[in-house]
Amino acid sequence: MIKIRPHQKKDIPYRVKWLNNSNVNKFIGDELGQKTNLRKEKEWFANYQKTKNKKFFTICDDSKLIGFVGLSNISKQNKNTDLFIAIGEDEYRGKGIGKIAMKWIIDYGFNKLKLHKINLGVVKNNIAAVNLYKSLGFIIEGDMKDEVFSDDKFYDFLSMAIFNKKT
Ligand SMILES: CC(C)(COP(=O)(O)OP(=O)(O)OC[C@H]1O[C@@H](n2cnc3c(N)ncnc32)[C@H](O)[C@@H]1OP(=O)(O)O)[C@@H](O)C(=O)NCCC(=O)NCCS
């Protein structure tokens, strides 16, 4: 059974594993393909604990940790946020778990945090992610040419958003 719970200190080694997985980091992060290590992620966690505008959650299949989902740059003033998600364990992708986690975090953002708009950025050739976001009602607000560079190539980048119809 899929469970989503707050990200904990003991999850740090899994973050390192997932963010170093090339199937994940080719699509995620400020600079695609970037590697991380335990020291950097411990530092990241210490900073995360001090911030109020980020919410990170770990996605679990019963007791097995499989990925993360969350919201950053949560703005109470603008009632918006940026969403991110990764299924870090290769064998758990394409099984409907990303969709479950996305629905959960959208509900959290709209109904618990009372936000109006959830934004996300996605590399245009990340077909699985783009299809997933469209299937949930995200619309394309921006289509940026040659926005990211990785593996000797430039890639287009989409800015997508979903709106809370109740606010
Ligand atoms: C993107 C990601 C979160 C999707 O999660 P997932 O659990 O693999 O996706 P799901 O099985 O829930 O699929 C949900 C929908 O996504 C789309 N999808 C998923 N895999 C797909 C694929 N290989 N090709 C095309 N569409 C795909 C489909 O629309 C699917 O809906 P459907 O099954 O009703 O047709 C996951 O693949 C992932 O973590 N990728 C690596 C990191 C990443 O890209 N993160 C997002 C950065 S913006």
Side-chain angles (χ1 to χ4, degrees), residues 40-56:
K40 282 189 203 165
E41 292 310 314
K42 279 184 179 168
E43 220 173 275
W44 170 87
F45 190 80
N47 287 330
Y48 165 60
Q49 284 184 307
K50 291 183 216 146
T51 58
K52 291 209 164 73
N53 67 345
K54 282 185 195 168
K55 300 281 180 194
F56 277 75

Side-chain angles (χ1 to χ4, degrees), residues 8-9 13 49 73 78 91 93 115 118 128 146 150 162:
Q8 297 171 13
K9 195 172 182 180
Q49 284 184 307
N73 300 318
N78 297 325
E91 68 275 22
R93 271 181 234 115
L115 298 172
I118 299 175
D146 289 354
S150 174
I162 189 169

Side-chain angles (χ1 to χ4, degrees), residues 47-165:
N47 287 330
Y48 165 60
Q49 284 184 307
K50 291 183 216 146
T51 58
K52 291 209 164 73
N53 67 345
K54 282 185 195 168
K55 300 281 180 194
F56 277 75
F57 300 93
T58 301
I59 306 167
C60 309
D61 180 27
D62 291 324
S63 59
K64 166 113 176 134
L65 279 62
I66 58 175
F68 58 78
V69 66
L71 302 174
S72 59
N73 300 318
I74 300 166
S75 169
K76 282 189 181 166
Q77 162 83 32
N78 297 325
K79 298 186 187 301
N80 64 18
T81 186
D82 297 328
L83 184 153
F84 55 87
I85 181 167
I87 305 297
E89 299 292 333
D90 291 336
E91 68 275 22
Y92 282 86
R93 271 181 234 115
K95 292 184 153 66
I97 299 170
K99 200 165 213 166
I100 292 172
M102 284 293 294
K103 284 184 180 167
W104 187 89
I105 197 78
I106 293 167
D107 177 66
Y108 179 85
F110 285 164
N111 296 320
K112 180 139 172 65
L113 303 184
K114 309 282 182 214
L115 298 172
H116 175 62
K117 181 178 184 185
I118 299 175
N119 297 298
L120 60 82
V122 58
V123 186
K124 199 172 176 177
N125 74 338
N126 188 352
I127 304 298
V130 173
N131 284 352
L132 169 59
Y133 303 149
K134 281 184 179 166
S135 78
L136 291 164
F138 279 80
I139 55 156
I140 297 172
E141 290 201 306
D143 186 340
M144 291 159 272
K145 303 295 170 205
D146 289 354
E147 181 70 12
V148 286
F149 187 79
S150 174
D151 282 338
D152 259 357
K153 265 182 278 174
F154 284 104
Y155 293 92
D156 296 349
F157 197 78
L158 299 177
S159 180
M160 299 183 77
I162 189 169
F163 296 84
N164 186 352
K165 296 198 175 72

Side-chain angles (χ1 to χ4, degrees), residues 32-46:
L32 301 183
Q34 223 177 26
K35 295 277 183 185
T36 190
N37 58 43
L38 204 52
R39 183 188 54 78
K40 282 189 203 165
E41 292 310 314
K42 279 184 179 168
E43 220 173 275
W44 170 87
F45 190 80

